[in-house]
Amino acid sequence: MRFMGKREIGKLSVFDLVISVMIAEIAVIVIEDMDRSMWSGIMPMVILLLIQVGSAFMTMKSRRLRLLFDGKPSVIIDKGKLNSDVMRKQRYNLDDLMLQLRENKISAVSDVEFAILETSGKLSVIPKEDTKSSENSGNDNPFVGNKTNDRNLKTFDPSKVIPSKYRFEILPVPLIMDGKVQDRNLEKLEKTRFWLKNVLQEKGVTDFKDVFFCTIDHKGKLFVDMHDKKQR
């Protein structure tokens, strides 16, 4: 691994991973088979090592080869909008997204400006600039005044939509995933499909199947991302 360079230790591309596994397998075969000559294992490992080092030097010189071996990063969230088509191509699901957002200390999709899935599988997150919102404490309407221009976001008064005894098991809480209502989460929030439908209708949504992803977080932020029309 040291001969392959520090890049190998910090990040494994698909090609690097295959080479590393093949070297490890050859080493195991030589150790287990006492009748096999040591050189019969050393030579293939040296050849694989030379292939890896040679390809690393070539990719350093040529961006075209680098893209061929490592691929290109994929934009999962673009200006606050989930790119479901890219997620489908990368076989990257919503649970993976929420997991990696939490690893980046992001609790809601609505707080993300850009999220880029790197060739290493790591999600790079660029959060939105902090925007201060004014709250109407005396308003009976459960919606709270919000200056954000994000059409995907609606902010509730948390005390009016989240039960006081509710214990968060995950953040944000999924309400709809890929057009399917998460009834169990609604029940825990003491809400019904009728409530959710009314909230979505205020945003012009008439069918749950039109929604790709809908969540609510501990601050009462309801995030709604629609399916792309071309995919329907």
Side-chain angles (χ1 to χ4, degrees):
M1 296 292 286
R2 187 173 294 275
F3 284 111
M4 291 183 180
K6 290 186 177 180
R7 172 182 172 273
E8 190 73 13
I9 298 173
K11 178 179 77 71
L12 290 175
S13 67
V14 175
F15 181 75
D16 297 332
L17 180 62
V18 170
I19 293 292
S20 301
V21 171
M22 289 178 68
I23 290 175
E25 286 291 332
I26 292 172
V28 170
I29 292 173
V30 173
I31 293 172
E32 289 182 344
D33 191 350
M34 302 301 294
D35 297 329
R36 189 183 294 270
S37 170
M38 184 69 70
W39 286 105
S40 63
I42 292 177
M43 286 303 295
M45 285 192 287
V46 170
I47 292 172
L48 287 173
L49 179 61
L50 291 174
I51 291 173
Q52 198 284 330
V53 173
S55 66
F57 275 111
M58 286 190 294
T59 54
M60 284 177 63
K61 300 294 184 181
S62 172
R63 186 172 187 272
R64 186 171 297 178
L65 280 176
R66 195 157 58 243
L67 293 176
L68 178 64
F69 278 92
D70 296 338
K72 295 188 295 184
S74 302
V75 179
I76 302 298
I77 300 177
D78 184 1
K79 297 180 181 178
K81 169 69 177 166
L82 283 170
N83 196 330
S84 57
D85 187 42
V86 172
M87 292 178 68
R88 189 175 294 106
K89 288 179 180 178
Q90 297 298 327
R91 294 180 291 280
Y92 186 80
N93 60 54
L94 291 168
D95 290 312
D96 292 333
L97 175 63
M98 289 192 293
L99 170 64
Q100 293 195 295
L101 287 179
R102 289 194 296 273
E103 288 177 347
N104 282 277
K105 298 181 180 180
I106 300 292
S107 62
V109 179
S110 56
D111 295 333
V112 179
E113 185 73 19
F114 292 98
I116 302 167
L117 185 64
E118 306 292 355
T119 55
S120 63
K122 179 181 178 181
L123 188 71
S124 299
V125 178
I126 301 173
K128 291 181 178 178
E129 294 183 3
D130 293 332
T131 55
K132 295 182 179 180
S133 59
S134 60
E135 296 183 358
N136 296 327
S137 57
N139 194 349
D140 293 334
N141 194 311
F143 290 119
V144 176
N146 196 331
K147 293 182 180 180
T148 180
N149 292 324
D150 192 345
R151 291 180 298 176
N152 294 346
L153 182 64
K154 200 74 174 181
T155 305
F156 288 92
D157 180 350
S159 64
K160 296 184 179 180
V161 294
I162 299 174
S164 57
K165 296 182 179 179
Y166 181 79
R167 297 183 64 183
F168 285 92
E169 298 175 357
I170 188 173
L171 275 174
V173 181
L175 301 181
I176 300 176
M177 298 180 74
D178 203 7
K180 298 179 181 178
V181 178
Q182 306 300 300
D183 291 302
R184 186 176 179 183
N185 289 338
L186 278 176
E187 290 175 6
K188 289 181 178 180
L189 289 169
E190 299 178 5
K191 296 293 182 291
T192 63
R193 285 193 174 211
F194 181 74
W195 172 85
L196 181 59
K197 188 172 183 178
N198 286 338
V199 171
L200 292 177
Q201 283 179 342
E202 292 188 24
K203 298 180 67 64
V205 182
T206 57
D207 193 343
F208 292 136
K209 293 180 180 179
D210 294 334
V211 180
F212 177 58
F213 195 38
C214 176
T215 64
I216 192 167
D217 67 7
H218 62 295
K219 296 180 180 179
K221 289 182 180 179
L222 182 80
F223 175 80
V224 181
D225 188 88
M226 305 298 294
H227 271 296
D228 293 336
K229 292 182 179 180
K230 62 181 181 181
Q231 297 175 3
R232 291 301 312 284

